[in-house]
Amino acid sequence: MNLFNCKCKFNNFLTIHLPPPHSSLCNRRTTRFSVRFSSESTHRVKLAESLQSETLKLLEWPAVCQQLSSFTSTSMGYAAAQSARIPVGRTPDESSRLLSQTSAAVAVPRPLDFTGIEDISPIVDASVAGGILSIRELCSVKRTLAAARFLLEQLEEIDFSERYSPLKEILHSCDFLVELEQKIEFCIDCSFSVILDRASEDLEIIRSERKRNMDNLESLLKQLSTQVFQGGGFDRPLVTKRRSRLCVAVRASHRSLLPNSVILDTSSSGSTYFMEPKEAVELNNMEVKLSSSERVEEQTILSLLTSEIAESNMKIKHLLDKILEIDLAFARAAHAQWMGAACPALSPRNCNISQSEHLSINVEGIQHPLLLESSLRNLSTDVSPRSPDLDQGNGIMNFETKSHAHFPVPIDIKIGHGTKVVVISGPNTGGKTASMKTLGLASMMLKAGMYLPAQNKPRLPWFDLILADIGDQQSLEQSLSTFSGHISRLREILEVASRESLVLIDEIGSGTDPSEGVALSESVLQYLKDRVNLAVVTTHYADLTRLKEKDNQFETAATEFSLETLQPTYRILWGSMGESNALNIAKSMGFDERIIERAVLWVNKLRPDKQQEQKGLLYRSLIEERDRLESQAIEAASLHSDIMNIYNEINNETQDLDGREAALIAKETHEIQQEVRTVKNEIQTIVQRFESQLGNVSADEINTLVKKAEAAIASVVEAHQPSKDSLVREIGQSLYTPQVGEQVYVKAFGNKLATVVEEPGNDDTILVQYGKIRVRVGRSSIRPIPPDASSSAANLKTQVQRIRSLRDLGSLSEATKNQQDSYGPVLQTSKNTVDLRGLRVEDASHQLNIAIDSRAPNSVIFVIHGMGSGVVKESALKLLRDHPRVVKFEQESPMNYGCTVAYIK
């Protein structure tokens, strides 16, 4: 259990100053007072630790830690989490450091490999106690040191930025004891668990002598056993070991084959003797001696290595603590990703409050972590895991949960900075106690550096103590009734609570006379508001819910109850006063109607007329207004998201127009320069050939040679000169005036086809439409479609199709008007357009089917089928008419030739 701030405060008084022998009576009295005050402080510290431990059990904190243990990677981390011994910040700075470690672990792109990390604390303790470690234990130390160093190397390989530094700082101050690791590796072969000859010079000499002696001994005994075999003394040559000495097997009837030999052992039947020949006695003695010396030397080496570990025990334990810290940081990160949790923030102190941070506790949509775990387990059959194992080996489980997972119900906790006491009222089984426990667990998780299963950016203050009185405190052994048990625990809580504490009290003042219970409860709450950071209590007393009217340090909250279903919704309504709804709950559970009716009569007598009805009407109206505002907010957010998506698509379509224009200009310039260089080279070649021929011809042939050169140059110039048709086309283009509805090529769009929307203005610009984008361009940047034989037939077909499309548009105009709002703005982008031009009919149908299936509901799709022979178009229109997802479609219009717009259900 971690120490608390209060303990640190009390420890200042634990020093007892003994007076000198000549001190006066006054000094002796001061000493007695210090001893008594120190004793009282020690009692308060122990009481605070005891209450905190009991509170954590009431809040089920050990269960949350066990939940975390599933995501640890080492035995040390698992044991610490299972026993709820995970680090908890003793100050706000420590909790912030733990949170920063968790955030850094969440951001790490790949999990760390903790292979080889073992809990070697018992081994280190054994070395300190004076025992000699075994080879296996020394190898465990060596593997752990190497794995720890590899852990740091993995962290350093990451592309570190500031957000990863909290993890790197953990191991930077550690001594990895590389020299000790190298010594163990030099002396021991951990693969075979043997001490190497090089471990010491004496060991190497002893083993060398032993090997030579053993070779001589085995050679001698093999020779003798062969003689015994040849003499019929045994079935085969057999050399074996008895009583740690090598010997030869021989039949009892043939023992004379080995005269003067020592019988070491006999078989169970007595027919076989195991005899040590006299020639082998000295060699066996030497083997025993050398074997004993080898064991002594090995023990010496193990003892030296053990002493090295004992001397470094503090460094090793410090290193293990840091490894545990990293393991728990990654476990918290994996736990956060498993729950889909959010990183909490510490609320500032009162002196640092800004206007935007008027809430001390601002937690939206938080769920109880244990209830959430049970919900995820219940949904395990309804989820499709991305991997059957832990994701990437780091305990991060990824699930695509289905949309019907609404349990536990998320709650909002919003408490202002000036609020000191919150009174929660409402029906039984409505979630008051669960909400209070959720707040206590959230505060504890924040102190431990864990993410919270909440939405957005939860913010809570740091509490030094979290003290709770929840459940029945009745004790027959201590002769305590329910009320006495509550009062006894409440007295202890009031004794140790500080100005940074969180106090949670369930059903305050219950179990006694209501009038006295209300009086005592109000007095306790008035006492708490001046002595703790925050107190949260649940009650059924209406008088306590009205304390807010007298003092703004009090706040009220109510658990919501549906009067339609007569069931709690488990949501918290802040600023409201809830009712117990005991009669409604009893009625919903099948209570006798006559009893309910009689109880209603009693309630009406005890309360003012129509007060209950007015409060019920007001409550229902507030609920309806809240639901309406939430629905509008969701609708507005959805509409904003759609508009931003359309804006981003349009922006992506238009933002590179200048770049494309510059690319075209650069391409044309490059082609012109290339053509000029070609002309120059050709003319230069003609001139050089003319000059070379000029010296070899007579005077009469010079004129002929000049005319040939001039003709060649003229042909080159004529070949690279624009044709008359192109000149006429350029002149015609300068005089060309497009008509409304006519399609033209627009240079700014990369010579793409666009439709003229308005006649040219006085500023010599023309409004054209490209898809659904309208833009003004200069007259010089457009050119007409060149006429040819094939286009005349196409134009005739275009006119027929235009008439048909106009007729279709007229028939669909009414339907479009009725459904236009549900589809939003009909705007063509690259994402909602499928181009079928140039495809075969089968490929076009397949492509169109895929495009329709991939579109979201209430969306549109632009099908570009072109003019052509009409086969692809007719196939596309037939598919659109028969497809079950297509509500309707609009054929090509004068503004959009060759394109059909389809509306998806």
Side-chain angles (χ1 to χ4, degrees):
M1 191 66 198
N2 289 314
L3 299 177
F4 306 97
N5 278 4
C6 61
K7 182 173 180 179
C8 299
K9 297 176 182 177
F10 296 149
N11 282 346
N12 295 331
F13 304 100
L14 295 182
T15 304
I16 301 176
H17 301 282
L18 296 177
H22 60 275
S23 62
S24 62
L25 179 63
C26 178
N27 289 341
R28 289 195 294 273
R29 290 176 179 174
T30 302
T31 301
R32 287 197 296 272
F33 175 77
S34 299
V35 172
R36 183 171 66 253
F37 189 76
S38 173
S39 177
E40 293 176 356
S41 301
T42 304
H43 168 71
R44 292 182 65 186
V45 171
K46 292 181 178 178
L47 180 60
E49 293 179 351
S50 175
L51 288 175
Q52 179 71 100
S53 177
E54 294 173 4
T55 295
L56 295 182
K57 293 179 181 178
L58 291 174
L59 298 177
E60 299 178 275
W61 172 248
V64 175
C65 294
Q66 291 174 7
Q67 191 182 80
L68 181 68
S69 67
S70 301
F71 301 94
T72 56
S73 301
T74 66
S75 59
M76 297 182 295
Y78 181 81
Q82 278 286 319
S83 57
R85 291 184 290 105
I86 65 173
V88 177
R90 293 171 293 180
T91 64
D93 291 339
E94 287 188 12
S95 295
S96 297
R97 180 174 58 82
L98 292 173
L99 278 173
S100 63
Q101 291 175 2
T102 307
S103 299
V106 170
V108 170
R110 59 182 180 277
L112 298 185
D113 184 5
F114 287 85
T115 303
I117 300 292
E118 302 178 32
D119 185 6
I120 57 175
S121 299
I123 298 176
V124 175
D125 293 338
S127 69
V128 175
I132 297 179
L133 301 181
S134 65
I135 294 177
R136 181 183 59 82
E137 292 172 329
L138 289 171
C139 289
S140 296
V141 174
K142 180 241 180 188
R143 283 193 299 269
T144 301
L145 294 178
R149 187 160 41 82
F150 179 60
L151 208 59
L152 178 62
E153 293 174 358
Q154 293 179 73
L155 289 173
E156 290 179 339
E157 286 177 1
I158 302 175
D159 184 16
F160 268 93
S161 60
E162 285 298 324
R163 61 178 179 173
Y164 298 114
S165 58
L167 290 176
K168 194 173 182 180
E169 292 172 355
I170 296 177
L171 290 177
H172 258 204
S173 60
C174 295
D175 185 350
F176 291 92
L177 302 170
V178 178
E179 185 177 350
L180 175 59
E181 177 194 344
Q182 292 174 347
K183 285 182 179 180
I184 298 175
E185 185 177 11
F186 181 82
C187 296
I188 298 175
D189 184 353
C190 291
S191 300
F192 299 97
S193 297
V194 295
I195 300 177
L196 298 173
D197 295 348
R198 65 189 183 188
S200 73
E201 293 182 3
D202 292 342
L203 180 63
E204 186 175 7
I205 293 172
I206 291 172
R207 286 183 174 176
S208 177
E209 292 180 359
R210 185 183 177 188
K211 183 178 183 303
R212 184 170 58 255
N213 181 76
M214 180 61 69
D215 291 342
N216 294 334
L217 178 60
E218 289 178 348
S219 176
L220 173 64
L221 293 179
K222 285 180 181 178
Q223 181 181 355
L224 293 175
S225 65
T226 302
Q227 293 176 3
V228 170
F229 169 69
Q230 291 174 350
F234 208 68
D235 298 338
R236 56 188 173 85
L238 177 62
V239 176
T240 184
K241 180 176 284 190
R242 290 292 187 270
R243 293 164 58 181
S244 301
R245 302 176 73 88
L246 289 178
C247 56
V248 176
V250 62
R251 290 192 181 96
S253 58
H254 292 73
R255 63 180 181 177
S256 60
L257 295 175
L258 296 174
N260 301 324
S261 297
V262 180
I263 301 174
L264 298 178
D265 196 6
T266 60
S267 65
S268 58
S269 62
S271 61
T272 303
Y273 286 176
F274 297 98
M275 305 180 67
E276 179 183 10
K278 64 178 181 179
E279 297 90 345
V281 171
E282 188 64 30
L283 293 175
N284 264 326
N285 290 340
M286 180 61 67
E287 166 61 20
V288 173
K289 178 182 178 181
L290 291 175
S291 176
S292 176
S293 300
E294 182 180 4
R295 284 196 299 271
V296 171
E297 186 62 24
E298 287 177 348
Q299 288 297 310
T300 302
I301 294 170
L302 295 178
S303 177
L304 290 174
L305 293 176
T306 300
S307 63
E308 292 271 356
I309 293 175
E311 291 175 2
S312 306
N313 73 92
M314 297 301 296
K315 295 180 180 179
I316 295 175
K317 289 186 175 181
H318 177 70
L319 179 61
L320 292 178
D321 290 340
K322 295 302 181 181
I323 294 174
L324 174 62
E325 193 173 348
I326 289 183
D327 184 21
L328 291 177
F330 277 91
R332 294 193 300 268
H335 181 261
Q337 295 184 358
W338 173 66
M339 291 194 304
C343 179
L346 286 172
S347 296
R349 303 295 180 113
N350 291 338
C351 56
N352 298 324
I353 299 173
S354 63
Q355 293 182 354
S356 61
E357 297 174 339
H358 62 282
L359 295 176
S360 173
I361 298 180
N362 185 12
V363 182
E364 296 181 4
I366 188 170
Q367 296 173 292
H368 194 290
L370 300 181
L371 297 179
L372 181 60
E373 178 187 12
S374 63
S375 175
L376 291 175
R377 286 178 177 173
N378 293 335
L379 287 172
S380 61
T381 57
D382 297 332
V383 298
S384 57
R386 299 180 185 174
S387 172
D389 302 319
L390 297 181
D391 182 22
Q392 297 178 335
N394 198 32
I396 302 173
M397 299 188 341
N398 295 307
F399 290 104
E400 298 174 359
T401 56
K402 297 192 176 181
S403 59
H404 62 265
H406 298 305
F407 183 82
V409 176
I411 62 172
D412 297 338
I413 305 177
K414 297 178 180 292
I415 303 175
H417 274 286
T419 301
K420 293 297 182 180
V421 178
V422 176
V423 180
I424 304 178
S425 56
N428 292 315
T429 71
K432 300 190 301 296
T433 305
S435 301
M436 190 165 57
K437 283 186 174 182
T438 301
L439 174 59
L441 276 181
S443 303
M444 199 65 195
M445 292 172 72
L446 178 141
K447 291 183 66 176
M450 299 176 66
Y451 279 25
L452 304 184
Q455 301 172 2
N456 300 329
K457 184 77 172 179
R459 187 169 66 248
L460 296 93
W462 186 88
F463 300 109
D464 62 347
L465 288 174
I466 302 172
L467 307 170
D469 177 22
I470 300 174
D472 191 355
Q473 303 296 328
Q474 186 184 57
S475 174
L476 297 179
E477 294 180 356
Q478 301 179 16
S479 299
L480 291 176
S481 65
T482 300
F483 178 73
S484 300
H486 279 296
I487 290 301
S488 175
R489 184 171 181 85
L490 192 56
R491 175 186 59 80
E492 295 175 343
I493 290 176
L494 297 179
E495 181 179 350
V496 302
S498 70
R499 292 189 178 275
E500 293 186 353
S501 299
L502 170 64
V503 176
L504 308 172
I505 306 175
D506 189 26
E507 302 292 351
I508 185 172
S510 62
T512 187
D513 179 81
S515 58
E516 294 184 357
V518 169
L520 180 61
S521 300
E522 182 174 351
S523 179
V524 169
L525 296 183
Q526 293 288 352
Y527 179 88
L528 285 173
K529 76 170 186 180
D530 298 324
R531 288 170 174 80
V532 298
N533 189 321
L534 179 65
V536 180
V537 301
T538 64
T539 184
H540 288 286
Y541 296 143
D543 292 336
L544 297 183
T545 62
R546 288 192 285 271
L547 291 175
K548 176 184 177 181
E549 301 172 0
K550 305 174 185 177
D551 192 341
N552 58 8
Q553 289 182 296
F554 287 82
E555 181 58 272
T556 59
T559 51
E560 187 180 39
F561 186 84
S562 175
L563 296 177
E564 296 178 357
T565 62
L566 299 180
Q567 294 292 331
T569 63
Y570 304 105
R571 299 175 65 181
I572 295 182
L573 305 176
W574 292 94
S576 302
M577 292 180 288
E579 298 183 12
S580 298
N581 287 289
L583 301 183
N584 290 325
I585 294 175
K587 183 178 180 180
S588 68
M589 297 181 70
F591 227 75
D592 193 308
E593 288 287 344
R594 291 172 295 179
I595 298 177
I596 299 296
E597 292 173 0
R598 189 175 292 113
V600 170
L601 294 176
W602 274 102
V603 170
N604 292 336
K605 290 180 181 180
L606 295 175
R607 294 183 178 176
D609 293 342
K610 298 185 178 180
Q611 179 181 0
Q612 180 73 5
E613 181 180 357
Q614 292 176 355
K615 291 178 66 178
L617 291 174
L618 177 61
Y619 178 78
R620 283 194 294 271
S621 65
L622 289 175
I623 296 300
E624 292 174 358
E625 180 66 15
R626 184 202 64 192
D627 294 341
R628 185 181 64 83
L629 292 175
E630 288 181 353
S631 177
Q632 290 179 353
I634 294 174
E635 184 178 353
S638 177
L639 181 60
H640 178 266
S641 177
D642 293 342
I643 293 174
M644 290 305 299
N645 289 337
I646 293 174
Y647 169 77
N648 291 330
E649 290 182 14
I650 295 175
N651 190 41
N652 293 335
E653 291 282 348
T654 58
Q655 64 182 355
D656 61 340
L657 290 179
D658 294 339
R660 282 186 275 176
E661 181 180 5
L664 287 173
I665 294 175
K667 180 180 179 181
E668 292 179 359
T669 303
H670 176 72
E671 291 176 353
I672 293 173
Q673 292 175 349
Q674 185 68 27
E675 189 171 0
V676 169
R677 284 194 294 268
T678 302
V679 172
K680 285 183 177 180
N681 292 335
E682 292 179 358
I683 294 176
Q684 184 68 25
T685 302
I686 295 172
V687 171
Q688 290 176 355
R689 187 167 59 247
F690 172 77
E691 291 176 349
S692 62
Q693 294 175 355
L694 188 60
N696 300 328
V697 297
S698 61
D700 296 336
E701 296 175 345
I702 290 179
N703 290 332
T704 303
L705 187 60
V706 170
K707 289 180 180 181
K708 287 182 179 180
E710 289 177 349
I713 293 174
S715 63
V716 170
V717 173
E718 184 177 359
H720 293 278
Q721 192 173 20
S723 63
K724 294 181 179 181
D725 292 340
S726 62
L727 291 175
V728 171
R729 192 180 307 118
E730 292 178 2
I731 296 172
Q733 183 176 344
S734 63
L735 302 176
Y736 167 66
T737 301
Q739 302 299 318
V740 175
E742 185 178 354
Q743 287 191 310
V744 294
Y745 287 110
V746 182
K747 183 178 179 182
F749 292 162
N751 290 325
K752 297 291 181 64
L753 281 175
T755 305
V756 178
V757 179
E758 292 181 0
E759 295 182 356
N762 296 329
D763 56 353
D764 207 26
T765 60
I766 302 172
L767 181 62
V768 297
Q769 180 169 344
Y770 173 59
K772 289 299 179 180
I773 303 173
R774 293 189 176 189
V775 65
R776 287 194 175 273
V777 297
R779 180 187 298 208
S780 59
S781 65
I782 67 172
R783 59 186 179 85
I785 300 175
D788 53 26
S790 61
S791 65
S792 61
N795 287 336
L796 180 59
K797 189 172 184 179
T798 300
Q799 297 300 324
V800 175
Q801 291 177 342
R802 183 181 303 180
I803 295 172
R804 290 178 182 173
S805 63
L806 288 175
R807 184 169 61 248
D808 293 337
L809 286 175
S811 63
L812 293 173
S813 60
E814 188 65 25
T816 303
K817 181 178 181 181
N818 294 335
Q819 298 186 15
Q820 185 176 5
D821 293 339
S822 63
Y823 290 93
V826 181
L827 186 62
Q828 183 179 3
T829 65
S830 59
K831 293 185 179 180
N832 63 3
T833 301
V834 55
D835 193 348
L836 307 179
R837 293 177 296 182
L839 299 178
R840 294 182 299 176
V841 174
E842 294 81 2
D843 296 337
S845 300
H846 178 67
Q847 195 76 10
L848 182 55
N849 264 315
I850 293 176
I852 294 175
D853 292 339
S854 64
R855 292 300 298 168
N858 292 336
S859 61
V860 296
I861 181 172
F862 290 80
V863 183
I864 301 178
H865 42 65
M867 308 303 296
S869 62
V871 178
V872 174
K873 174 187 172 183
E874 293 301 328
S875 174
L877 295 179
K878 183 179 183 304
L879 192 149
L880 293 176
R881 275 193 296 268
D882 299 338
H883 201 286
R885 290 200 68 200
V886 177
V887 178
K888 63 186 181 72
F889 59 89
E890 299 173 358
Q891 295 189 33
E892 54 209 341
S893 67
M895 307 296 293
N896 204 7
Y897 290 117
C899 180
T900 297
V901 182
Y903 293 79
I904 309 300
K905 286 184 180 179

